Amino acid sequence: MLSTCSLDSFCGLCEKRRSIRYFDTTPVSREDINEVIEAARLAPSVENTQPWRFHVVLHKGLLEQLTRTACYGNFIAGASAFILVTCDQRMTPSTGETLWNPRELEFSCVAAMEHLVLAATAKGLGSCWVSLHHGPAHDILKLPTHETVIGGIMLGHPRKGEEEPSGPHERRPLSGVVTFHE
Ligand SMILES: Cc1cc2nc3c(=O)[nH]c(=O)nc-3n(C[C@H](O)[C@H](O)[C@H](O)COP(=O)(O)O)c2cc1C
């Protein structure tokens, strides 16, 4: 249904993307990882502050430790790569403009995370957004105090059997989420 909207390739990509939680053991190449991060770097951010930082975790021991910081499920160790996204809270608008809502730094990082999952889909990779208990994840990667944890994206080649959604996937109809104010 979505793929009939005007920018056909983009709508098709949105329709194709869904959370993949189980992966095979084929590693994701550094080139692919850099390409999905390149797409994330192009996300919009409040006053173009670009507060996102990407911590690419490939080390199996760290992946296992991070699994214990997941709020829901215990999938992280099965990913080929995990991109933990943090927000550099020191960023301010280069224009000198006041940052009226500092939380918008974090909203900007969320926009970058959406670019990550769409770019992963475009490259034929599986991905899943993972909620993290921020403090423990921060400690495991020994992150600086000015970076706060936003969340993480698992990346990998989908395992056989992942053709079907492994979590809730149905959407509310447009009529249930849109209000026109005319
Ligand atoms: C902010 C956010 C946090 C999420 N956290 C988790 C998570 O911790 N574990 C998980 O398996 N999926 C997580 N997801 C994925 C959602 O469960 C998933 O997007 C939703 O069920 C819709 O399914 P779909 O991605 O297949 O379309 C998260 C998604 C978002 C946007």
Side-chain angles (χ1 to χ4, degrees):
M1 201 209 322
L2 246 186
S3 41
T4 58
C5 73
S6 60
L7 188 53
D8 208 32
S9 56
F10 177 70
C11 296
L13 182 64
C14 292
E15 214 167 48
K16 188 169 171 215
R17 186 220 59 81
R18 61 182 175 76
S19 296
I20 301 289
R21 297 180 174 83
Y22 301 99
F23 305 93
D24 69 22
T25 53
T26 316
V28 176
S29 70
R30 285 202 180 218
E31 192 189 4
D32 281 354
I33 294 171
N34 280 328
E35 278 184 37
V36 298
I37 296 177
E38 177 61 28
R41 203 175 63 81
L42 302 178
S45 60
V46 59
E47 288 288 328
N48 201 25
T49 45
Q50 303 166 61
W52 41 69
R53 303 290 176 264
F54 304 100
H55 295 269
V56 181
V57 183
L58 303 172
H59 187 277
K60 280 288 162 203
L62 285 175
L63 290 172
E64 274 159 24
Q65 287 184 58
L66 285 170
T67 294
R68 294 195 284 274
T69 73
C71 300
Y72 315 103
N74 56 348
F75 318 104
I76 298 175
S80 299
F82 187 67
I83 305 178
L84 187 135
V85 180
T86 64
C87 179
D88 187 336
Q89 300 286 350
R90 301 171 304 178
M91 301 312 285
T92 51
S94 59
T95 53
E97 184 73 62
T98 301
L99 198 57
W100 292 107
N101 180 356
R103 288 189 65 208
E104 287 193 320
L105 289 174
E106 300 189 343
F107 301 167
S108 306
C109 296
V110 171
M113 288 177 73
E114 177 61 7
H115 278 212
L116 283 180
V117 291
L118 287 176
T121 306
K123 294 205 68 64
L125 295 170
S127 67
C128 184
W129 195 306
V130 180
S131 310
L132 300 170
H133 291 294
H134 293 182
H138 196 278
D139 290 348
I140 288 166
L141 292 189
K142 300 182 171 59
L143 300 172
T145 50
H146 58 262
E147 287 185 37
T148 53
V149 173
I150 303 300
I153 304 293
M154 296 194 288
L155 281 184
H157 295 276
R159 193 175 77 179
K160 208 168 171 300
E162 279 296 285
E163 296 80 12
E164 293 302 318
S166 53
H169 182 68
E170 288 307 306
R171 294 300 194 271
R172 295 193 185 105
L174 209 57
S175 59
V177 294
V178 179
T179 306
F180 284 92
H181 300 264
E182 292 175 287

